[in-house]
Amino acid sequence: MQNAASKLKSTLHLNVEPIGISFSDRVDPSQEFFDIEMPLPTEDGRTGRVAAGCVFWMHAVERRFATVAADHANCSVGSFTHGFLELSVAATKSDVGALVTSGWVSESDFGTIEHVTTQPAQVIYEPLSSSSSVPDVVFLRLNARSAMIFRDAFPTARIEGKPQCHIVAIAKELGEIALSFGCMLSRTRTSMPSSEMTAAIPGPLLQEALDRLEETASIDRNVANYASIDSKRFAN
């Protein structure tokens, strides 16, 4: 996947390494697991290796690691979107209650949130460049320029907001390319810059996506060349 990662970075002018996300129905004990101490649980039992599963995106640009349900469990929203937690259980957790109470989300919104339908035994995160096979989802952090190219290449792609993590489920479960403006819950927990948004590409569509992105980027270069030459008429 090193070549695919390199093409994505150059074509989209990415500032951050693309990552791969893979779901598995069994735990492979030979994997290196994300293993840091968990904080004390809340009264309803929430704790995890990180504040929310989206934080794993930030670590995955540097190394490969596996995670299990307990690692994601501090965020009930992410645990639901990734298939670790049933909606009926997630809705009873204090973090979801706080989000509903704040007005950030309503109970009626829950049915519109895409989620992984089969509970995984583990989820593997890794830099796409070091992946030995095509992951289930290729996850990108886009800047404004890369989002422009991405949107032109996929004009019918879904554009989502909160929760940011459900674009992973859209790509995996529905086989659709999706972008997200992000959500405040995720931005705060990940410290993702305000200048970034995200995108998810289903692994099986990666080559097709690369072809379309390269074609779109080539067209943009031609347009930029024209605009640059034309603008010189206005130089003093």
Side-chain angles (χ1 to χ4, degrees), residues 31-89:
Q31 296 288 338
E32 178 182 346
F33 285 81
F34 195 91
D35 187 17
I36 61 174
E37 186 176 354
M38 295 185 185
L40 291 174
T42 59
E43 290 186 3
D44 60 350
R46 289 186 303 104
T47 188
R49 301 291 177 190
V50 291
C54 51
V55 177
F56 291 128
W57 306 337
M58 318 306 280
H59 292 283
V61 301
E62 300 173 347
R63 64 184 180 93
R64 173 189 171 96
F65 54 84
T67 63
V68 295
D71 302 329
H72 294 247
N74 192 64
C75 179
S76 303
V77 175
S79 292
F80 167 62
T81 61
H82 283 61
F84 289 124
L85 206 61
E86 294 286 341
L87 178 58
S88 59
V89 177

Side-chain angles (χ1 to χ4, degrees), residues 72-146:
H72 294 247
N74 192 64
C75 179
S76 303
V77 175
S79 292
F80 167 62
T81 61
H82 283 61
F84 289 124
L85 206 61
E86 294 286 341
L87 178 58
S88 59
V89 177
T92 67
K93 297 295 184 178
S94 60
D95 57 338
V96 172
L99 298 176
V100 172
T101 300
S102 71
W104 191 76
V105 68
S106 67
E107 292 184 8
S108 62
D109 293 327
F110 294 157
T112 66
I113 300 173
E114 300 293 349
H115 62 283
V116 174
T117 56
T118 302
Q119 182 174 349
Q122 70 178 21
V123 180
I124 294 174
Y125 297 84
E126 61 187 330
L128 182 63
S129 60
S130 64
S131 179
S132 59
S133 59
V134 179
D136 291 321
V137 178
V138 174
F139 190 86
L140 309 173
R141 286 162 55 190
L142 307 177
N143 54 54
R145 182 176 181 180
S146 52

